[in-house]
Amino acid sequence: MSKVELYAAIRRDAHRGMSQRALTQKYNVGQKTVKQALANAWPSPRKPYPKRGSKIDDHSSWIDEVLRNDLTAPRKQRHTVTRLFDRLVKEQGMSGVSYDTLRRYVATRKPQILREAGRSPSDAFVPQTHLPAMEAEVDFGDVHVKLRGELTKLTLFCLRLSYSGKAAHRIAATGGQEAFFEGHTHAFRVLGGIPVGKIRYDNLKSAVDQVIGFSRLREEAERWTAFRSHYGFDAFYCQPGIQGAHEKGGVEGQIGWYRRNHLVPLPEVDSIAELNAMIDAWDVEDEQRRIGSRPHTIGEYFAIEQPHLASLPEDHFETGRWFNPRVDRYAQVSVRMNKYSVPAHLIGRQCYASEIVSGLTGEYPARERRA
């Protein structure tokens, strides 16, 4: 039995009138143990063993002084553990101390010295909490699929609601501004509304023309500003680089989870539209998933969040780019360094098209919409 159970048995028998001598004989313990059990139902904690000395203790003050001096030394000219070990052997005559012992001492002592000097050894983080429909996160991620039998690199767009974890995904050939806008409009349709607060972004070229200094101020692309105005949401830009990754950690983890669970093994499809149809079905299935230790599923949380989303605008925002190329003498138009065939009677005129279809000859004639 454990010591707690032993104490409980001794106290129970003592209450029944058993003497201390009988208790020591019954449980084969000393009188000191019986007296302790009768005095307190909870055993006193075991005294810690005294810390064993180490040969490195003879050099600890010298090591600490070196680490303190490193606080003001240039960053690229500070002591490594290897350099410390070499100096201890040559200058201090250290012997009998292994490299691993020194490494463990420095790993423990260096953060303490940083704290003593008022310098935190690492950043502190506070877990985020979110109100329903108040925040969302957006990011792009690279994925690979077998498109018509060939390994192809595509871009996965993800918009994730921070409260429920409900996410909408969309695959595009590139991460251009058109795919960025189309991903938003698709996500808003799937969610049935728009977050009433802010949406978190990193510094995507589709939205940001320039990062201003070290602040969160950004010079936004004009079409992006118009897009946000149309749907009525605010953008929150994370810190540049790896420092800002934790500020939208939900969508960062979501893209990784989605790749591992839905895109392994590589999907084999004939078109991006077919792949997006599969993704829409997966997004519905994922509502039955629980995130971490949450007590409810994504779908149950989303049922709470969805009524709080802002309504979609009645009119449509054009997500595509408008071009008015002139048809050359070969009955072709040039759009972003690509040539497309058009009807010959349009030669010399300006036109635009709404769709590109594949021809039998391998060319890509554009369907005329207006000329």
Side-chain angles (χ1 to χ4, degrees), residues 112-131:
Q112 297 173 353
I113 291 175
L114 286 171
R115 285 194 293 269
E116 292 169 1
R119 302 184 184 182
S120 177
S122 60
D123 294 331
F125 297 90
V126 177
Q128 295 183 357
T129 56
H130 308 279
L131 295 174

Side-chain angles (χ1 to χ4, degrees), residues 341 357-365:
S341 298
V357 295
S358 176
L360 297 177
T361 60
E363 299 177 349
Y364 295 88

Side-chain angles (χ1 to χ4, degrees), residues 33-222:
T33 301
V34 172
K35 290 180 180 180
Q36 290 176 345
L38 297 178
N40 194 338
W42 193 258
S44 57
R46 180 176 293 180
K47 293 182 180 180
Y49 289 105
K51 183 180 178 181
R52 293 194 306 171
S54 173
K55 291 185 178 180
I56 202 171
D57 293 340
D58 299 334
H59 308 283
S60 60
S61 58
W62 186 88
I63 297 172
D64 292 352
E65 185 64 25
V66 171
L67 294 177
R68 291 190 186 97
N69 292 336
D70 274 355
L71 296 177
T72 56
R75 185 175 62 86
K76 294 185 178 181
Q77 291 178 250
R78 297 174 185 173
H79 284 79
T80 62
V81 177
T82 301
R83 179 57 180 156
L84 270 175
F85 187 83
D86 291 342
R87 288 192 63 188
L88 283 167
V89 172
K90 294 179 181 179
E91 300 177 19
Q92 302 296 317
M94 183 181 72
S95 62
V97 178
S98 66
Y99 176 87
D100 287 338
T101 301
L102 176 62
R103 178 179 56 81
R104 287 192 296 269
Y105 178 84
V106 172
T108 302
R109 191 72 182 107
K110 190 173 182 179
Q112 297 173 353
I113 291 175
L114 286 171
R115 285 194 293 269
E116 292 169 1
R119 302 184 184 182
S120 177
S122 60
D123 294 331
F125 297 90
V126 177
Q128 295 183 357
T129 56
H130 308 279
L131 295 174
M134 289 301 297
E135 287 192 26
E137 302 171 2
V138 165
D139 202 4
F140 276 126
D142 293 333
V143 297
H144 290 81
V145 302
K146 290 185 178 180
L147 184 61
R148 292 187 289 273
E150 294 186 6
L151 184 64
T152 306
K153 180 180 177 181
L154 301 174
T155 301
L156 174 67
F157 172 91
C158 177
L159 187 148
R160 179 183 183 273
L161 294 176
S162 300
Y163 172 78
S164 63
K166 169 66 176 175
H169 303 82
R170 201 70 173 165
I171 289 282
T174 67
Q177 193 177 70
E178 298 86 349
F180 187 60
F181 289 169
E182 181 59 33
H184 279 80
T185 57
H186 171 75
F188 294 154
R189 288 194 301 268
V190 170
L191 300 175
I194 306 165
V196 297
K198 57 191 177 184
I199 301 180
R200 295 175 179 263
Y201 301 90
D202 54 19
N203 302 286
L204 297 168
K205 287 292 185 181
S206 304
V208 175
D209 282 343
Q210 183 179 359
V211 178
I212 302 176
F214 295 98
S215 67
R216 295 188 186 275
L217 298 177
R218 303 292 186 269
E219 182 179 330
E220 295 183 335
E222 288 187 356

